[in-house]
Amino acid sequence: MPLELVTLPALSDNYTYLVHDSESGATACIDVPEAQPIVDAVTQRGWTLTDIWLTHHHHDHIGGVDDLLKVFDAKVTGATADRHRLPTLNHEVGEGDRFEFGGEVITVLDVSGHTVGHIAFVASESGFALTGDSLMALGCGRLFEGTAAQMWDSLQKLAALKPDTLICSGHEYTQSNARFAITVDPDNADLKARIAHVNSKRERNEPTVPSKLSDEAATNPFLRAADPAIQANLDMIGAEPVDVFAEIRARKDRF
Ligand code: ZN
Ligand code: FE
């Protein structure tokens, strides 16, 4: 049985996810912007939260951990590299680590860039990756701590996952990401179609995440730095993809 995945909006534009194994009853939440939506969603389903997985130390991803631990006695997993700035961890992980959850192997990837020490959790059998503020729908996290090269490496790791992997990212930023994406990739028909789809979802107040990795590969400019049309558009034909990525990221920061 694949793990069940639940997408929950929290705060103004964050997402948290529940991952549930019906056989063992194990339930994890990924990042805790605030406790209440998680408590409500878990109890409504008759579940108990057993695990908290943290992608990075920013307050909008960990701010609700203490409140959540008052309700559930959950095991907290996060990056060894960030132990000094994460809530107390019961389980420390890093690049390439694997651990079992509900009969499935979860793989940890270091996806530094937005922060150094940012990790992603990959459930390859069930087909999803929890990417926090690394790879996002039509975007990627701002480079607060890492370099463009670090983020580019991180995105390559995620881009190498199976094409139908669901990318579960931490924010509803997709419409603003789309407004930028079309400026660097204006002739991309897949991007135009996706933007229309995203806009109609938001009109109905539906989440635009998770998104499929193959859709990101076709439309997310931060994964497409090697694309000839984007390179031509940026006047960077033949440049190293990492340099094109850095330019795209810089333009987004100014956008
Ligand atoms: Zn963040
Ligand atoms: Fe965030």
Side-chain angles (χ1 to χ4, degrees), residues 131-181:
T131 59
D133 294 354
S134 59
L135 178 59
M136 306 175 90
L138 283 177
C140 75
R142 196 177 273 261
L143 303 178
F144 285 118
E145 297 177 6
T147 62
Q150 273 175 311
M151 180 62 102
W152 177 248
D153 281 351
S154 299
L155 295 180
Q156 296 318 293
K157 292 181 199 174
L158 295 166
L161 299 175
K162 279 183 279 179
D164 61 350
T165 303
L166 292 177
I167 301 300
C168 309
S169 50
H171 289 272
E172 185 56 63
Y173 290 163
T174 318
Q175 271 185 312
S176 71
N177 287 343
R179 282 192 286 275
F180 170 74

Side-chain angles (χ1 to χ4, degrees), residues 6 8 18 36-47:
V6 180
L8 299 174
L18 301 181
Q36 204 55 52
I38 296 167
V39 173
D40 291 346
V42 167
T43 49
Q44 266 166 27
R45 288 167 173 79
W47 299 346

Side-chain angles (χ1 to χ4, degrees), residues 48-242:
T48 299
L49 193 78
T50 55
D51 290 83
I52 297 171
W53 302 346
L54 301 173
T55 64
H56 68 295
H57 76 282
H58 283 157
H59 188 73
D60 61 313
H61 297 256
I62 64 169
V65 169
D66 288 349
D67 286 343
L68 194 54
L69 288 175
K70 287 176 195 152
V71 183
F72 298 110
D73 184 20
K75 174 176 152 189
V76 183
T77 298
T80 312
D82 268 350
R83 59 178 305 183
H84 60 289
R85 54 186 186 176
L86 289 173
T88 306
L89 300 176
N90 309 112
H91 179 208
E92 295 180 15
V93 293
E95 168 71 20
D97 283 351
R98 291 156 166 265
F99 62 92
E100 209 192 296
F101 178 83
E104 183 158 344
V105 175
I106 307 296
T107 305
V108 177
L109 297 177
D110 181 311
V111 288
S112 290
H114 176 67
T115 63
V116 173
H118 193 307
I119 55 175
F121 298 89
V122 181
S124 32
E125 226 177 288
S126 293
F128 57 83
L130 302 135
T131 59
D133 294 354
S134 59
L135 178 59
M136 306 175 90
L138 283 177
C140 75
R142 196 177 273 261
L143 303 178
F144 285 118
E145 297 177 6
T147 62
Q150 273 175 311
M151 180 62 102
W152 177 248
D153 281 351
S154 299
L155 295 180
Q156 296 318 293
K157 292 181 199 174
L158 295 166
L161 299 175
K162 279 183 279 179
D164 61 350
T165 303
L166 292 177
I167 301 300
C168 309
S169 50
H171 289 272
E172 185 56 63
Y173 290 163
T174 318
Q175 271 185 312
S176 71
N177 287 343
R179 282 192 286 275
F180 170 74
I182 200 72
T183 66
V184 293
D185 200 9
D187 301 318
N188 183 337
D190 292 334
L191 175 59
K192 287 179 198 169
R194 186 171 177 195
I195 292 172
H197 186 62
V198 161
N199 288 341
S200 73
K201 279 201 156 181
R202 292 311 295 152
E203 265 166 38
R204 299 192 299 271
N205 208 23
E206 290 172 16
T208 60
V209 298
S211 58
K212 214 192 263 184
L213 180 58
S214 55
D215 290 336
E216 297 305 332
T219 58
N220 184 329
F222 296 98
L223 290 182
R224 296 169 51 71
D227 181 76
I230 290 187
Q231 292 199 350
N233 217 12
L234 299 178
D235 231 344
M236 294 183 80
I237 293 171
E240 289 297 328
V242 61

